[in-house]
Amino acid sequence: MFRSAGSRAGDDGAGRAGADEVLGPAVDAVLDTISHDYGPRSLGTLKPGGILVDVVGVGVDRTEVTARAAELAVRFVEFFLEPTPAVLTDFAALIDGHGIRPTISETLPLTEAAKAHELSETGRVRGKIVLVP
C-alpha cells in the first residue's frame, strides 16, 4: 500500500497506518475519503495527468474542483460504491487479515454521538471515530 504525506508527522502516521512506502508530493492518484477541503488541497500533490478520486460525494462545489483540476492538467472523478453484503464481507476479511489497518482517532460512548458528528464535520480528524455502547 502506498500513501502520500506532506510532512514528517504525516510520514510517520502513514507508516503506522500500514503503508509499505510513503510518497512525497507529485503522486499519480489521490483517493479522497474525507471531503471538505481535502480534495481541493490534494490537487497540488498530483503529477500532471494524475487523478483525484472522490468517494464521499458531498462537500465542496464539484464544478470548482473540476475546473481547478483542468487548470493543473489532472483529472477529478467521483466514485460511488453500493455497500452490499458481499462487499462488506470482503472488507471485513481484509481487516481481519490485517490487509487494512484503520487508524482510530477517537473512541466515544454512543451517548456522545453528537460530539462525534461535530468532530467529523471539522474535516480535521485523523482516523476514524468509533462509537461504543
Side-chain angles (χ1 to χ4, degrees):
M1 175 170 81
F2 296 95
R3 183 167 173 178
S4 173
S7 68
R8 173 62 73 196
D11 289 353
D12 294 343
R16 285 193 307 274
D20 297 315
E21 185 174 340
V22 180
L23 307 172
V27 297
D28 294 315
V30 171
L31 181 63
D32 179 4
T33 61
I34 298 171
S35 193
H36 300 285
D37 67 338
Y38 181 81
R41 286 188 299 116
S42 298
L43 288 170
T45 68
L46 292 166
K47 293 177 184 177
I51 186 169
L52 168 63
V53 181
D54 180 338
V55 298
V56 180
V58 297
V60 298
D61 180 354
R62 301 307 193 250
T63 305
E64 290 180 22
V65 177
T66 301
R68 180 70 181 134
E71 290 171 9
L72 296 171
V74 298
R75 293 181 300 143
F76 169 68
V77 297
E78 295 177 81
F79 175 81
F80 299 98
L81 175 69
E82 183 67 34
T84 65
V87 168
L88 295 176
T89 299
D90 288 345
F91 279 136
L94 284 170
I95 291 169
D96 289 344
H98 303 288
I100 296 176
R101 291 180 286 203
T103 301
I104 306 299
S105 174
E106 300 259 353
T107 301
L108 300 170
L110 187 57
T111 57
E112 294 187 33
K115 178 180 177 182
H117 194 342
E118 290 171 8
L119 287 170
S120 178
E121 287 182 334
T122 68
R124 301 290 179 217
V125 174
R126 289 189 139 193
K128 301 298 179 186
I129 300 171
V130 178
L131 296 174
V132 295

